[in-house]
Amino acid sequence: MSGTQLRVAGFGELDVRTFHDLVRLRVDVFVVEQECAYPELDGRDVEPGTRHLWLARDGAVVAYLRILADPDGVARIGRVVVAPSARGAGHAGRLVVAALAEIGDRPCVLEAQSHLVDFYSRHGFTVSGPEYVEDGIPHTPMRRDP
């Protein structure tokens, strides 16, 4: 993890190149690698309460997640992604820890790809509903209360 820098920003703080690089990583993994055709640009990136967290190494984005402010005051972690070339180095865990620090004492939810339930459980999340399939991938809703 040496040489990776954590960055946190709202949409208005992102320059065009950075936003491009964040979305490109999301599209490369979720749409292309995982073969899920869906509207990646869902309008939530620009909401005032959204926070973008990413790790950069030598100027390149290697991992990303976003925190959404749901209308009920619950924080929602989503779009957790690590570049294929950077997997296995603990980047996702580092981002989740940083996200939970940003969220503070608010409840938090996420929709985990089911094979990652144990990973999120290590960060205090518990299963909060039945497994379902979205875009051909099993997901499990999870929640973390302060």
Side-chain angles (χ1 to χ4, degrees):
M1 276 191 280
S2 177
T4 57
Q5 297 179 320
L6 174 67
R7 306 281 169 86
V8 180
F11 181 76
E13 301 165 301
L14 295 172
D15 62 51
V16 174
R17 179 57 192 233
T18 299
F19 184 66
H20 167 275
D21 293 349
L22 298 177
V23 173
R24 177 156 187 189
L25 174 60
R26 289 170 18 185
V27 168
D28 284 350
V29 173
F30 298 131
V31 178
V32 179
E33 179 183 335
Q34 295 182 357
E35 299 178 347
C36 298
Y38 69 99
E40 173 55 35
L41 293 174
D42 60 2
R44 302 225 46 200
D45 291 314
V46 302
E47 293 175 358
T50 298
R51 303 295 290 162
H52 301 273
L53 286 73
W54 70 99
L55 294 173
R57 183 176 54 225
D58 299 325
V61 175
V62 296
Y64 168 86
L65 66 72
R66 70 179 181 185
I67 305 168
L68 303 175
D70 278 0
D72 58 3
V74 172
R76 177 174 298 277
I77 292 176
R79 302 296 203 266
V80 181
V81 62
V82 177
S85 64
R87 291 182 186 154
H91 296 312
R94 183 175 172 197
L95 280 179
V96 170
V97 167
L100 293 173
E102 282 280 318
I103 291 164
D105 62 359
R106 290 183 292 159
C108 181
V109 297
L110 54 80
E111 305 297 320
Q113 290 189 4
S114 294
H115 71 279
L116 295 171
V117 165
D118 289 344
F119 166 78
Y120 290 112
S121 294
R122 291 193 296 273
H123 294 281
F125 287 87
T126 58
V127 172
S128 60
E131 182 178 72
Y132 62 94
V133 175
E134 182 175 343
D135 295 320
I137 298 172
H139 284 74
T140 302
M142 300 187 79
R143 182 178 179 96
R144 182 179 189 269
D145 289 299

